[in-house]
Amino acid sequence: MRVAVVGVQGDVEEHVLATKKAMRNLGIEGEVVATRRKGVVSKSDAVIIPGGESTTISKLIFADSISNEIVELVESGKPVMGTCAGLIVLSKFGDEQVEKTKTKLLGLLDVKVKRNAFGRQRESFQTTLEMKKVGKIDAVFIRAPIVEEVGKEVEILAEFEGRIVAVQQGKILGLAFHPELSTTKVHEFFLNLAEP
Amino acid sequence: MKVEIEKLRFGTELVKRGFAKMQKGGVIMDVTNAEQAVIAEESGAVAVMALHKVPADIRASGGVARMADPKKIEEIMDAVTIPVMAKCRIGHIAEAKALEALGVDMIDESEVLTPADTFFHIYKKDFVVPFVCGARNLGEAVRRIWEGAAMIRTKGEAGTGNVVEAVKHMRLINHAIYLVQNVSEEKLYSVAEKFASRYSELSKLVREEMGLSIEKEIIYERFAFEEIVEGIYEILLEIRELGRLPVVNFAAGGIATPADAALMMRLGADGVFVGSGIFKSSNPQKFARAIVEAVQHYDEPEIIAEVSKELGEPMKGLEVTKLGESELLQTRGA
């Protein structure tokens, strides 16, 4: 199995390490590649969009048309996971911050997101979260977004204080927090989506 | 209520270092007003550093350089959606607390401003907001990490438009990490003692002046020398295992062109701070975009060549060897 981490900006390395560990835990043979270039995503079995700055990540993946490769991969039934900025980029609808910064979204996940929903870095936090299909995990929220509205096809996997922070739509996984910083459980769940 | 507090933990190491990790592969730009901040955001900056003056102007105007006007910082915070950082003077706990109260996303305890304390840096673990600090060598980097810095950057020589010092500092740190990976644990412990000795300068001075000494002396914040050595030794062990600093390491101080930025990335920087370089150039917008592209594609020479075309006049730049010792910013805070 080959997993691509879109490596244009953000905590790419952390996703690569978490995915490798998850592969070992599951006994899956495969490789994890961070990529900033065209042509790698389309040859992969799963793709991860990391945390970072959504304005920056969006600009860079659209400029280099890695965006098309992600869309095509997902349309061919392969799984994709976006964490924090990655969730925003995957979404169909953004908030006024997304509009103001003219951030382009991939529109794959039928949700409306709100950026920086908990506030600035001072309000960033770590907590224990109960995530459906995954279990109890340590979750790190950094200037995190939330999901405000979900479409019919979208299943809510976790809420925090009444706000949606993890969703699944088929093989598309969107998380407001950063599992790559604290656990491999979410990556194990994600890899299982990639198994035929 | 108690349950709520246990459930939510603010300002943990993971939250602070995590914030810095989200900046990786990005460019952080110095800005002095809301308009520049918007240009930076539109060009793909991952964050902006809100300043009263860019380092080149601080250098030119002389006098004491302090924390920027909070009103100015607020205007910048309101203008952009990306994180906003601001600088406080080395050791100036009150400026740092004010910036934290203001809600900036990261504080740069910076040698670019005039130091407020010649003995000590801020004990950053006491803050919720993460800090970035400059370093010229591994000793400085490790001391700042022990104090709680979530991000390190090379000091370089800010406001010169000359990359030579940033290169020097990155190379010194890289080589030191290589040595750390190749010595015994015993030797590493003596390195920790050497690195920690900087904290005993004040106590040494006072002890000599008074001709006395006490047992279990607290020399910095709430720590005795031995405790600091232990802490620093732990960090060195972590560096040995990781083969890199345990926090994000950016390049800063004199980066003036896209090729400069790419060079620093090639030397192992996780990202780049550009200070005077952008808004001192003749076409800031184009320049900012070019630097973002260069960091992104640092190992693709064709792209560096492409984005470097017709950028207009970069900032003039200074020959660092012609600067007097008193004009150097990098020697502030060790």
Side-chain angles (χ1 to χ4, degrees), chain B residues 152-323:
Chain B
I152 294 295
R153 55 170 176 75
T154 58
K155 283 180 176 171
E157 190 56 38
T160 60
N162 189 338
V163 78
V164 65
E165 295 298 298
V167 169
K168 185 203 270 178
H169 300 158
M170 193 58 87
R171 284 207 184 277
L172 287 172
I173 290 173
N174 287 347
H175 191 71
I177 291 173
Y178 159 74
L179 288 183
V180 164
Q181 287 186 285
N182 289 284
V183 296
S184 67
E185 290 191 2
E186 200 182 316
K187 280 197 182 134
L188 211 53
Y189 200 84
S190 70
V191 174
E193 286 176 319
K194 196 147 189 283
F195 282 178
S197 66
R198 176 77 177 85
Y199 293 99
S200 44
E201 278 179 19
L202 178 126
S203 93
K204 216 167 103 194
L205 209 69
V206 178
R207 274 191 274 116
E208 272 168 18
E209 189 198 0
M210 299 175 77
L212 53 80
S213 61
I214 58 166
E215 294 284 306
K216 281 211 133 217
E217 184 190 2
I218 302 296
I219 60 167
Y220 168 69
E221 291 295 324
R222 43 195 181 270
F223 304 98
F225 181 71
E226 294 71 23
E227 294 171 291
I228 299 176
V229 173
E230 271 309 311
I232 286 182
Y233 179 59
E234 291 295 316
I235 295 167
L236 289 172
L237 286 177
E238 213 180 337
I239 291 171
R240 171 141 87 166
E241 197 184 310
L242 297 169
R244 58 157 293 150
L245 295 181
V247 300
V248 168
N249 185 19
F250 268 49
I255 291 144
T257 67
D260 284 352
L263 169 63
M264 296 313 297
M265 293 300 286
R266 277 181 182 270
L267 292 177
D270 291 313
V272 167
F273 280 89
V274 186
S276 320
I278 290 169
F279 293 100
K280 282 278 153 193
S281 73
S282 57
N283 188 347
Q285 206 135 14
K286 198 170 170 195
F287 221 92
R289 255 189 234 130
I291 298 232
V292 170
E293 286 275 307
V295 166
Q296 192 51 46
H297 300 282
Y298 70 90
D299 55 355
E300 296 168 76
E302 320 77 47
I303 295 181
I304 305 302
E306 190 55 41
V307 301
S308 301
K309 284 178 188 164
E310 296 178 282
L311 279 180
E313 198 65 23
M315 71 178 284
K316 186 148 181 301
L318 292 169
E319 172 57 70
V320 180
T321 53
K322 298 226 172 82
L323 292 175

Side-chain angles (χ1 to χ4, degrees), chain A residues 8-9 36 120 122 126-127, chain B residues 7 12 22 101 105 296:
Chain A
V8 292
Q9 192 272 316
R36 286 175 284 121
R120 308 192 70 95
R122 202 174 47 184
Q126 192 177 344
T127 189
Chain B
K7 228 167 73 181
T12 61
M22 299 313 147
D105 296 293
Q296 192 51 46

Side-chain angles (χ1 to χ4, degrees), chain B residues 53-67:
Chain B
K53 280 181 192 155
V54 293
D57 291 333
I58 291 176
R59 190 178 278 289
S61 65
V64 176
R66 310 178 179 91
M67 166 182 88

Side-chain angles (χ1 to χ4, degrees), chain B residues 59 157 322-332:
Chain B
R59 190 178 278 289
E157 190 56 38
K322 298 226 172 82
L323 292 175
E325 184 66 27
S326 65
E327 293 174 279
L328 290 177
L329 302 177
Q330 59 176 277
T331 49
R332 296 164 162 184

Side-chain angles (χ1 to χ4, degrees), chain A residues 7-14 17 35-37 50-57 59-60 63-64 83-84 96-98 100-103 115-116 119-128 138-143 160-161 178 180-182, chain B residues 4 6-19 21-26 41-47 77-84 99-106 128-130 244 270 292-293 295-300:
Chain A
V8 292
Q9 192 272 316
D11 69 336
V12 179
E13 208 180 336
E14 286 67 24
L17 291 174
T35 179
R36 286 175 284 121
R37 303 188 191 199
E53 280 308 313
S54 57
T55 48
T56 312
I57 293 178
K59 266 190 195 79
L60 297 167
D64 290 342
T83 64
C84 195
E96 66 286 350
Q97 287 196 16
V98 172
K100 190 179 133 198
T101 53
K102 301 183 196 96
T103 306
R115 279 186 65 193
N116 301 330
R120 308 192 70 95
Q121 175 58 19
R122 202 174 47 184
E123 284 80 45
S124 295
F125 61 94
Q126 192 177 344
T127 189
T128 308
D138 195 12
V140 185
F141 290 76
I142 296 170
R143 288 172 48 99
F160 177 75
E161 294 183 339
H178 296 280
E180 71 278 11
L181 295 180
S182 57
Chain B
E4 282 296 299
E6 278 177 4
K7 228 167 73 181
L8 269 182
R9 286 163 290 152
F10 297 98
T12 61
E13 286 298 286
L14 204 54
V15 169
K16 291 196 272 192
R17 289 186 180 186
F19 168 79
K21 285 177 175 170
M22 299 313 147
Q23 308 286 307
K24 285 200 290 188
E41 183 175 47
E42 282 175 358
S43 309
V46 288
M77 283 165 58
D78 289 340
V80 291
T81 66
I82 53 178
V84 176
L99 291 174
E100 182 175 61
L102 207 59
V104 303
D105 296 293
M106 182 173 244
V128 167
V129 67
R244 58 157 293 150
D270 291 313
V292 170
E293 286 275 307
V295 166
Q296 192 51 46
H297 300 282
Y298 70 90
D299 55 355
E300 296 168 76

